[in-house]
Amino acid sequence: MSRNTKQSKAAEFFSYDGTFYDVCSKAFDIIAVSLYFLIGCLPVITIGNSFTALYYATSHSIKRDEKTITQAFWHAYQINFKQSFFIELILGAAMFVFLLNTGIVSKKWGGNLSIGFTIFYSLLFAFVVATACYIFPALSRFEGEVGWFFKIAMYMVVRYLPITFLLLAIVAGCFILVWYVQPMFLLVLPGAASLLSTYILDPVLKKHMPEETI
């Protein structure tokens, strides 16, 4: 390879439309949307809405380059607030009950019965988490009633079990990195994990796309 050819390829790599600029731009967007996500979660009651906006922004902006990351996130944050709030309440209540029952069983009972019920409630808790992994991305893409979103999300949990296990693994990995390794991972993990999830979930969501979508 001649010197001129090497220089030309290097110039192309570092150009405005080159690979280096594109990678840096995506990395900046991942950090930005992660910060937006954390800000959106601050009122607590908007955590579900923030998850919905996070998926919408990573799917439409970082993955498809259809909008800026700021426009995409706050647009979805505004239009999905009401439904995401009710969905979050239901999911949050279910998680609390299953975790509470797990703690009660492990303390008051013993032996195989305690182990059995602990596993049972843990599986129910995992099912709720898996439902959340589908329901908020679906809310970011589709229009419908809250009941319909629960129905389609729970169906997907069972229908696409390999994908469900993969999504749960991503959630568990993020939790371990933040809780046991370094909380600063929160500055990048929400956007990175959501972007990874779009490549897994978008084909599934496309199969169940209703006539009218957002």
Side-chain angles (χ1 to χ4, degrees):
M1 184 181 295
S2 66
R3 182 176 180 181
N4 289 337
T5 301
K6 290 181 179 180
Q7 290 177 341
S8 175
K9 289 194 173 184
E12 182 180 345
F13 180 81
F14 288 103
S15 68
Y16 180 79
D17 296 324
T19 303
F20 179 77
Y21 178 85
D22 185 60
V23 171
C24 290
S25 177
K26 298 297 184 185
F28 176 82
D29 285 345
I30 287 174
I31 295 173
V33 80
S34 297
L35 291 174
Y36 292 155
F37 169 77
L38 295 176
I39 293 170
C41 288
L42 287 179
V44 180
I45 62 171
T46 58
I47 291 177
N49 193 32
S50 205
F51 272 110
T52 304
L54 175 67
Y55 189 89
Y56 181 90
T58 52
S59 179
H60 286 265
S61 179
I62 301 177
K63 183 181 178 182
R64 304 179 191 174
D65 292 318
E66 294 177 354
K67 302 178 180 180
T68 67
I69 198 68
T70 302
Q71 290 174 335
F73 184 89
W74 295 112
H75 166 74
Y77 194 86
Q78 291 175 358
I79 66 175
N80 293 306
F81 176 81
K82 184 177 180 180
Q83 286 185 308
S84 64
F85 172 71
F86 287 112
I87 291 173
E88 177 189 341
L89 281 182
I90 297 170
L91 292 175
M95 290 181 185
F96 175 77
V97 169
F98 296 145
L99 283 177
L100 181 64
N101 287 347
T102 301
I104 293 174
V105 166
S106 62
K107 286 186 177 182
K108 291 192 174 183
W109 294 355
N112 293 333
L113 186 62
S114 175
I115 296 174
F117 272 98
T118 298
I119 294 174
F120 174 70
Y121 285 122
S122 297
L123 289 175
L124 289 177
F125 180 82
F127 183 83
V128 175
V129 173
T131 300
C133 289
Y134 285 100
I135 199 168
F136 292 118
L139 180 60
S140 76
R141 296 286 299 275
F142 307 148
E143 294 179 349
E145 300 296 326
V146 170
W148 179 84
F149 282 110
F150 272 100
K151 180 181 178 180
I152 193 66
M154 288 188 287
Y155 168 78
M156 290 177 179
V157 170
V158 179
R159 173 64 178 81
Y160 305 101
L161 272 180
I163 293 176
T164 298
F165 289 136
L166 186 55
L167 292 173
L168 288 175
I170 293 173
V171 172
C174 290
F175 176 80
I176 291 170
L177 286 174
V178 172
W179 191 261
Y180 294 102
V181 180
Q182 177 54 255
M184 292 298 291
F185 276 119
L186 276 173
L187 296 178
V188 65
L189 275 180
S194 181
L195 180 60
L196 177 60
S197 297
T198 63
Y199 290 96
I200 301 169
L201 277 175
D202 275 357
V204 173
L205 295 175
K206 188 176 181 180
K207 293 179 182 179
H208 301 276
M209 186 176 295
E211 294 182 0
E212 295 183 4
T213 59
I214 296 177

